[in-house]
Amino acid sequence: MMSPVDLQIGGEFSNTPDLAPEHISKDLYKSAFFYFEGTFYNDMRYSECRDLSRTIIEWAESHDRGCGKFRTAKMEDYTFNDMCIKVGYPYLYCHQGDCEHLIIITDVRIVHHDDCLDKTLYPCVIKKHWMWTRKCSVCKLYIVRWVTNNDNFAPEDPAFFCDTCFRMLHYDADGNKLGEFLAYPYVDPGIFN
């Protein structure tokens, strides 16, 4: 599964906007889990993965919150065929520590001759929420690439800029920073539409 959060770039780049980031969040934070029917299926495929469900389980067990007993398993050891899943019931996918996605299995059926027979393309996403593309707050034409904070040149905080407007407003012709502000690369959720 892909999410805009996976493409985020960590760090503040107001002094070095041309510095190419080495990693996106997905490369750095690979841990994730699915929650189906009382079991957290943790993604432990990489050595740097950690059990994100542990905090939830410890919280639930700490004061007998009536949540029942949770189980954990390695996601990579199971397929949907191994699980008992309710059709139309909401489940959870969590990654990046706190980015949560609602998962609903809407259809289970025997393969038909018109269906794609490549097992690697399943499960299929048939519907996802439409994400609006954020436009630059200056030109109102181009997609946002930068978000700034504590920016004396901006009318609001945070402020959103396309690359062209960001550079024209915040740097001189030689690329020197003008004024004080914090700048972060912005990944527009609309790229997943």
Side-chain angles (χ1 to χ4, degrees):
M1 292 184 66
M2 280 294 288
S3 167
V5 175
D6 290 330
L7 301 178
Q8 287 180 341
I9 299 163
E12 195 278 318
F13 292 88
S14 64
N15 291 319
T16 55
D18 294 320
L19 180 67
E22 294 181 24
H23 301 286
I24 57 174
S25 293
K26 184 178 180 182
D27 296 334
L28 297 173
Y29 310 108
K30 298 179 181 182
S31 302
F33 69 77
F34 281 98
Y35 178 74
F36 291 108
E37 298 299 321
T39 301
F40 290 95
Y41 294 91
N42 290 288
D43 186 350
M44 303 301 281
R45 293 174 293 169
Y46 307 100
S47 60
E48 58 268 22
C49 287
R50 39 184 282 258
D51 181 350
L52 294 179
S53 67
R54 178 64 28 216
T55 304
I56 299 167
I57 292 170
E58 288 172 359
W59 172 85
E61 292 174 349
S62 67
H63 291 93
D64 189 27
R65 300 181 193 276
C67 300
K69 190 79 174 150
F70 294 111
R71 295 178 308 277
T72 61
K74 289 184 177 180
M75 180 190 308
E76 55 272 21
D77 293 342
Y78 289 84
T79 66
F80 284 115
N81 206 32
D82 301 321
M83 300 159 54
C84 184
I85 298 173
K86 297 176 188 170
V87 174
Y89 193 80
Y91 295 109
L92 176 69
Y93 173 66
C94 179
H95 64 118
Q96 301 291 325
D98 64 354
C99 185
E100 299 176 349
H101 300 268
L102 186 67
I103 305 290
I104 300 174
I105 308 297
T106 59
D107 188 23
V108 178
R109 61 187 175 86
I110 296 175
V111 70
H112 186 268
H113 66 82
D114 290 334
D115 291 334
C116 176
L117 300 178
D118 184 353
K119 286 183 179 181
T120 63
L121 298 177
Y122 289 90
C124 299
V125 175
I126 58 167
K127 182 176 176 158
K128 62 181 182 176
H129 181 71
W130 179 266
M131 306 289 250
W132 289 102
T133 298
R134 187 183 290 264
K135 301 291 184 176
C136 174
S137 58
V138 175
C139 69
K140 311 262 191 262
L141 293 173
Y142 300 110
I143 295 173
V144 170
R145 295 288 178 241
W146 293 95
V147 59
T148 63
N149 292 110
N150 305 326
D151 188 348
N152 295 334
F153 300 121
E156 56 195 21
D157 191 6
F160 299 89
F161 301 96
C162 67
D163 193 61
T164 302
C165 292
F166 171 73
R167 291 174 188 276
M168 286 175 50
L169 187 61
H170 295 93
Y171 301 91
D172 65 19
D174 297 323
N176 299 312
K177 182 178 173 180
L178 303 172
E180 289 300 316
F181 59 92
L182 301 173
Y184 305 90
Y186 180 81
V187 177
D188 189 87
I191 64 173
F192 289 95
N193 290 336

